[in-house]
């Protein structure tokens, strides 16, 4: 069964759209992150940084569309984890009006394939809502989950997710 989710790779032309979505993401996170809004009315996410990331990392950001309506974004980073390169499902943000539709599951299904190998999923320890979401839903998404040894110095809870053949 196909879902009405469509992911499009964000380009430099999408800078303003992604920047505005990221401001909503930072606003929502401010409840647990403690981040304060800047004097200019924005959170600490500069438009110029978003544009530079889109230029330098062409596959970094994807815009999420549900039935042709913009509903969020996902950021994918290439990182080093335990001395090895790995893809990270860095940030996944779905607008509140679109939550509960299976969007996160569709994103994971599209990105985490048997050919893509393991992915790092890091969740802020203070983000209790996201932690609960992933704990509840990862088993339903058909991925294998491995919890690496705990790093008490980190602000993140980490897991490796992969899809078997």
């Amino acid at each position: 069964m196909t879902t009405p989710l469509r992911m499009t790779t964000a380009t430099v032309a999408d800078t303003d759209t992604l920047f505005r979505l990221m401001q909503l993401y930072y606003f929502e996170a401010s409840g647990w992150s403690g981040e304060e809004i800047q004097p200019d009315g924005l959170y600490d996410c500069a438009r110029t940084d978003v544009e530079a990331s889109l230029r330098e990392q062409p596959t970094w950001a994807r815009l999420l569309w549900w039935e042709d309506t913009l509903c969020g974004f996902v950021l994918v980073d290439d990182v080093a984890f335990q001395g090895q390169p790995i893809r990270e499902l860095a940030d996944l943000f779905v607008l509140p009006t679109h939550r509960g539709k299976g969007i996160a599951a569709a994103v994971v299904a599209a990105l985490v394939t048997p050919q893509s190998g393991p992915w790092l999923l890091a969740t802020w320890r203070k983000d209790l809502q996201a932690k609960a979401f992933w704990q509840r839903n990862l088993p339903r998404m058909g991925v294998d989950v491995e919890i690496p040894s705990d790093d008490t110095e980190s602000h993140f809870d980490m897991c490796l997710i992969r899809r078997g053949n």
Side-chain angles (χ1 to χ4, degrees), residues 4-94:
L5 176 71
R6 186 170 48 92
M7 281 193 302
T8 59
T9 301
T11 67
V12 172
D14 298 310
T15 297
D16 289 328
T17 301
L18 182 59
F19 173 72
R20 286 189 291 269
L21 284 170
M22 290 178 79
Q23 287 295 307
L24 295 171
Y25 174 71
Y26 282 102
F27 165 74
E28 184 171 86
S30 68
W32 54 262
S33 72
E35 184 174 344
E36 296 292 336
I37 198 161
Q38 303 295 309
D40 63 1
L42 298 173
Y43 286 93
D44 190 20
C45 167
R47 184 198 176 283
T48 55
D49 291 342
V50 172
E51 182 176 354
S53 292
L54 289 170
R55 281 187 198 288
E56 295 164 12
Q57 303 170 59
T59 61
W60 171 62
R62 289 148 178 98
L63 298 175
L64 306 177
W65 303 84
W66 186 264
E67 297 177 345
D68 296 323
T69 300
L70 183 64
C71 66
F73 68 87
V74 62
L75 304 180
V76 174
D77 286 331
D78 292 314
V79 299
F81 180 70
Q82 298 180 337
Q84 299 295 316
I86 191 169
R87 308 281 329 232
E88 179 185 14
L89 188 63
D91 296 289
L92 173 58
F93 176 69
V94 176

Side-chain angles (χ1 to χ4, degrees), residues 73-147:
F73 68 87
V74 62
L75 304 180
V76 174
D77 286 331
D78 292 314
V79 299
F81 180 70
Q82 298 180 337
Q84 299 295 316
I86 191 169
R87 308 281 329 232
E88 179 185 14
L89 188 63
D91 296 289
L92 173 58
F93 176 69
V94 176
L95 291 165
T97 55
H98 293 280
R99 293 179 187 163
K101 297 178 178 179
I103 293 170
V107 169
V108 168
L111 295 176
V112 183
T113 65
Q115 300 79 22
S116 69
W119 284 68
L120 180 65
L121 177 63
T123 307
W124 284 92
R125 287 198 167 140
K126 290 183 178 181
D127 188 353
L128 301 179
Q129 184 179 5
K131 284 176 54 171
F133 171 82
W134 289 115
Q135 287 173 348
R136 186 176 60 249
N137 289 290
L138 278 175
R140 301 177 195 167
M141 292 182 186
V143 295
D144 298 323
V145 179
E146 176 187 340
I147 309 295

